[in-house]
Amino acid sequence: MVGHKALRINGTRLNETLQSTCTQWGALSSSTGIRRLTLSQADKDVRDWLVNECKELGCEVKVDQMGNIFAIRPGKGEGLKPIAMGSHLDTQPAGGRYDGILGVQSALEVLRTLHENDVATQHPITLIDWTNEEGARFPGAMMCSGVWSTKSSTPLEACYRVTDSDGIDMRTALEEIGYLGMTPCDYRENGLEAYFELHIEQGPKLEQEGKSVGIVTAVQGMKWFAVRVTGVEGHSGTTPMPARSDALVTAALLISAVRTTALETNLGVATVGVITSDTQFQATIPSGIDFIIDVRCPTDAQLAALCAAIFTAFDAIVASESNRTAYSVTRSWGLPESVFHPSCIAAVRAAAVAEVGELQCMEMKSGAGHDAAWTSKVVPSSMIFVPSEDGVSHNPAEYTSPEHCALGAQVLLQAVLAYDGRIT
């Protein structure tokens, strides 16, 4: 039997599996990108494949009430909870091949490596595929890890009622693809000892600093707000300019203020990525505009301060503007700052340093949200980052080299074994 420090994942197999499954299930014909929306046919097909692969490795597979997949490799210890690895297989509508997918495929590669080397761990080792991390089909990012943690403001039954753009609710979608499981989606009834997640950075820092591995210590806080601006419809040719109540004009000023406030306060980042208009005709003055603000900051205090500054700027704009419009705000989603557990961070750091040396490692916070953020609320958790070329993600051009993919999987393997404490 190979000692655990000498165990090596099969990088060629990992990368071939990643690419072949992306090509087979969800590939875009016009690029190297992928469209694998959660609970779609492509998602069902890749889930079925994953379940079969894990069962062939001797894993017990459980599916919970939100469709989260848990593939459990038994351990030697009596009554011990699993040490888990995972991420997600769903993508953006025109996403890349690495966001989330690398984490699940690397977890599978770890299970394959343990199986073919006949490695016995004390704790069970579990692969998790979390449902609807992206929130691209059913609004609400990291939805189902949030339900599992019980710390999300959107509980299970409310998530079941969330609908996609075709009016299909999430419970129906789960039933249609056969992944409405019976296992409780609750960490208190389906618990873990710890959770590790390998992910691409989705930003430029590792590449800019010439580092190979990110040791992730936290995920920054984030909030989404739905803003509605209301005015009055009117004829674009006959309504005098001073008499108009143009919702789009006010919305444009507010959206500009989001960017300006984030730049001036330097507290974090803020984005408006979705805009819709009630009026879709060029000869009519818009009467209603909806847009969504995404605000993210390193700490919860900074997040609260930036949000307050944005809405103070909104109030000033509306008060001084002669356009006779109004706005309302609803907080639509949020994730508090998530600080990872020292013991998990230490396991990642030791594995990374042993693999590439101290100078190739960098401690960092995640600017993007991840399922590990929710797991960290209830079990010890941490993450491993590998570089994203040019910092590109949520884009068909998203790319991480095969070497960095394999490196991340190797660090994941060794971090999990280190946390397990010993193997025999």
Side-chain angles (χ1 to χ4, degrees):
M1 190 189 316
V2 179
H4 79 271
K5 290 186 178 178
L7 280 176
R8 309 296 300 179
I9 62 97
N10 185 328
T12 299
R13 177 173 60 193
L14 165 65
N15 283 286
E16 287 179 349
T17 302
L18 188 153
Q19 296 299 333
S20 65
T21 54
C22 286
T23 298
Q24 190 168 354
W25 297 300
L28 296 174
S29 59
S30 58
S31 69
T32 59
I34 182 169
R35 177 186 176 89
R36 190 191 289 156
L37 299 181
T38 195
L39 309 184
S40 63
Q41 184 63 44
D43 189 30
K44 169 184 166 49
D45 291 343
V46 76
R47 283 166 170 262
D48 290 348
W49 168 86
L50 178 67
V51 167
N52 184 65
E53 291 295 311
C54 292
K55 286 182 176 179
E56 288 188 356
L57 297 174
C59 295
E60 174 195 1
V61 176
K62 299 191 294 186
V63 179
D64 75 12
Q65 295 163 305
M66 291 302 295
N68 299 316
I69 297 171
F70 297 76
I72 306 155
R73 183 179 190 267
K76 290 174 54 181
E78 291 290 332
L80 298 179
K81 293 180 180 179
I83 298 171
M85 320 163 284
S87 198
H88 59 97
L89 290 172
D90 66 316
T91 74
Q92 290 288 315
R97 296 187 170 204
Y98 302 88
D99 174 4
I101 296 169
L102 175 62
V104 176
Q105 294 290 3
S106 293
L108 176 61
E109 178 56 34
V110 168
L111 292 180
R112 285 171 166 173
T113 301
L114 297 177
H115 179 74
E116 66 192 11
N117 286 279
D118 195 26
V119 174
T121 56
Q122 292 296 318
H123 292 80
I125 306 298
T126 293
L127 174 155
I128 304 176
D129 172 27
W130 298 105
T131 302
N132 198 39
E133 192 275 349
E134 294 290 358
R137 179 181 177 190
F138 297 99
M142 295 154 277
M143 178 186 283
C144 299
S145 55
V147 173
W148 176 86
S149 76
T150 73
K151 305 305 178 186
S152 169
S153 60
T154 311
L156 183 142
E157 290 296 334
C159 289
Y160 279 164
R161 294 191 294 270
V162 175
T163 59
D164 65 10
S165 59
D166 295 322
I168 300 171
D169 65 64
M170 192 160 184
R171 183 186 178 95
T172 299
L174 284 163
E175 290 175 334
E176 286 179 345
I177 71 163
Y179 278 89
L180 180 62
M182 300 298 293
T183 298
C185 187
D186 188 324
Y187 81 97
R188 294 165 297 189
E189 299 183 66
N190 184 29
L192 302 175
E193 180 68 25
Y195 177 75
F196 293 86
E197 183 168 353
L198 168 64
H199 210 280
I200 59 171
E201 182 196 345
Q202 300 183 279
K205 293 180 180 178
L206 288 172
E207 188 176 62
Q208 289 174 351
E209 296 296 325
K211 307 295 186 180
S212 298
V213 180
I215 301 164
V216 188
T217 59
V219 175
Q220 65 181 352
M222 52 197 78
K223 291 181 181 180
W224 293 356
F225 297 93
V227 181
R228 178 155 181 84
V229 183
T230 53
V232 178
E233 285 186 357
H235 194 293
S236 65
T238 61
T239 307
M241 294 300 292
R244 296 182 177 211
S245 181
D246 190 329
L248 184 53
V249 169
T250 300
L253 294 171
L254 300 184
I255 291 168
S256 180
V258 171
R259 171 181 166 81
T260 300
T261 305
L263 285 168
E264 290 178 349
T265 61
N266 198 33
L267 292 169
V269 295
T271 306
V272 174
V274 176
I275 310 170
T276 58
S277 174
D278 293 354
T279 307
Q280 298 289 341
F281 185 56
Q282 65 189 35
T284 301
I285 298 165
S287 62
I289 301 293
D290 294 287
F291 62 90
I292 297 174
I293 312 172
D294 177 329
V295 188
R296 308 185 186 211
C297 297
T299 69
D300 289 338
Q302 290 172 315
L303 181 62
L306 179 52
C307 292
I310 289 171
F311 297 126
T312 296
F314 280 17
D315 289 340
I317 288 168
V318 172
S320 64
E321 224 264 312
S322 60
N323 200 26
R324 293 183 296 280
T325 54
Y327 82 93
S328 60
V329 178
T330 302
R331 178 183 156 183
S332 56
W333 181 80
L335 175 68
E337 176 193 6
S338 305
V339 178
F340 291 145
H341 197 279
S343 61
C344 292
I345 295 170
V348 170
R349 181 184 295 109
V353 170
E355 196 63 29
V356 297
E358 189 80 45
L359 294 179
Q360 279 295 303
C361 300
M362 183 170 78
E363 285 200 359
M364 58 196 307
K365 278 192 172 187
S366 174
H370 300 288
D371 293 306
W374 283 122
T375 68
S376 72
K377 309 298 182 188
V378 293
V379 300
S381 303
S382 189
M383 295 188 72
I384 304 156
F385 277 176
V386 286
S388 297
E389 186 175 88
D390 297 327
V392 173
S393 187
H394 285 192
N395 185 312
E398 177 182 280
Y399 181 74
T400 293
S401 72
E403 294 77 16
H404 280 138
C405 290
L407 171 60
Q410 182 65 29
V411 172
L412 178 65
L413 167 67
Q414 293 299 337
V416 166
L417 291 177
Y419 199 88
D420 184 57
R422 61 178 180 172
I423 62 172
T424 57

